[in-house]
Amino acid sequence: MLKAKSIYKSYGQLQILKGVDLEVERGEIVTIVGASGAGKSSLLNILGTLDRPDSGQLYINDIELSKLSNKSLSDFRNRKIGFIFQFHHLLAEFSAIENVCIPAFIAGVSKSDAEKKAKELLDLLGLKDRMSHKPNELSGGEQQRVAVARALINSPALIFADEPSGNLDSVNALELHELFIKLRKDFNQTFVIVTHNEDLANLSDRTVMMKDGLIVH
Ligand SMILES: Nc1ncnc2c1ncn2[C@@H]1O[C@H](COP(=O)(O)OP(=O)(O)O)[C@@H](O)[C@H]1O
Ligand SMILES: [Mg+2]
């Protein structure tokens, strides 16, 4: 599903990624752990095509992404990839359902089809009665679940999450982790998740450890 070869990235003089190799199979849940500053978020942003490496190759579904123009890359990202960030980045002036629909609108899905799918997802995530609420009318756990629904609306094959349960209490964190497992089981979606949460790392198929810009374990 995903293959990264010899990924390097520097910010100015500072070398952040020093030749990372990683392969992920379809339907696999891989967690990335490591100390703060190890380069986890930088790697995730590159794997998720939000950022480009200085050198190295990234293949998703056998497509070499460095060969795509920015426009093709953003279309690819919109259709194939879902993101869940630690801070949910919901748009404050839009309701839960409107936030969830936005990636579908960008993909050219009609309003009625997008809303139908968004309702299904919000229902699945236990937010049936919260659809018209704005983010500031939702709890932290509810906001994060809206962000999860938004990440899933275009049925991405590949989902990246950067400390998705970092701001959740243990009950909400557990529910989110169980949801990831269920989505993999039901839809064979592939997950790459940066986490400090040991329970989530233990639930995953494989954990890789990063240290000083390299995968060491
Ligand atoms: N846009 C940036 N510009 C400059 N330095 C950055 C940038 N993003 C990250 N860094 C630096 O790169 C290193 C790795 O950061 P990051 O990938 O966020 O690590 P982690 O997610 O493992 O905590 C840190 O030292 C950080 O300060
Ligand atoms: Mg980080």
Side-chain angles (χ1 to χ4, degrees):
M1 174 96 230
L2 178 148
K3 184 170 173 181
K5 278 186 72 176
S6 201
I7 300 290
Y8 284 82
K9 180 78 181 178
S10 297
Y11 294 111
Q13 298 295 340
L14 203 61
Q15 199 173 49
I16 302 301
L17 299 176
K18 303 174 182 170
V20 174
D21 296 312
L22 182 66
E23 290 190 34
V24 180
E25 303 294 327
R26 180 179 302 280
E28 204 178 10
I29 300 179
V30 174
T31 41
I32 301 176
V33 300
S36 179
K40 304 181 299 296
S41 295
S42 303
L43 178 64
L44 205 72
N45 288 344
I46 287 172
L47 298 179
T49 76
L50 292 173
D51 198 3
R52 291 185 187 264
D54 297 336
S55 65
Q57 290 90 45
L58 175 63
Y59 302 86
I60 296 179
N61 290 335
D62 294 321
I63 298 168
E64 201 203 322
L65 296 171
S66 67
K67 303 261 196 292
L68 300 185
S69 67
N70 284 337
K71 168 81 175 89
S72 308
L73 192 61
S74 57
D75 287 344
F76 180 87
R77 185 187 310 122
N78 177 246
R79 286 179 292 107
K80 301 283 187 203
I81 296 177
F83 280 96
I84 302 162
F85 301 97
Q86 180 176 8
F87 301 99
H88 49 72
H89 299 304
L90 296 175
L91 299 176
E93 61 273 37
F94 292 101
S95 67
I97 190 165
E98 287 166 341
N99 267 283
V100 174
C101 283
I102 289 169
F105 294 151
I106 292 170
V109 175
S110 72
K111 187 161 188 283
S112 60
D113 286 351
E115 284 178 350
K116 183 163 175 281
K117 183 76 193 285
K119 279 180 187 161
E120 282 171 19
L121 283 167
L122 288 166
D123 194 8
L124 177 78
L125 289 162
L127 292 166
K128 200 178 166 62
D129 303 324
R130 297 286 186 281
M131 297 198 199
S132 57
H133 289 231
K134 300 254 171 81
N136 69 0
E137 298 162 345
L138 298 168
S139 73
E142 288 168 343
Q143 290 173 12
Q144 189 60 305
R145 279 181 277 151
V146 174
V148 171
R150 179 185 56 185
L152 298 175
I153 188 145
N154 290 337
S155 305
L158 188 51
I159 295 155
F160 293 94
D162 197 349
E163 304 193 25
S165 45
N167 289 317
L168 300 181
D169 62 43
S170 57
V171 173
N172 278 305
L174 180 65
E175 278 180 12
L176 184 65
H177 301 161
E178 284 171 346
L179 175 72
F180 292 157
I181 306 291
K182 178 175 161 52
L183 289 168
R184 185 269 294 276
K185 181 162 162 278
D186 292 354
F187 304 112
N188 203 31
Q189 282 168 312
T190 307
F191 288 83
V192 181
I193 308 171
V194 170
T195 189
H196 288 295
N197 187 299
E198 264 186 44
D199 297 330
L200 178 54
N202 290 334
L203 277 174
S204 72
D205 301 315
R206 185 155 61 96
T207 299
V208 299
M209 178 174 286
M210 281 194 80
K211 192 178 174 198
D212 296 334
L214 277 171
I215 287 176
V216 291
H217 191 66

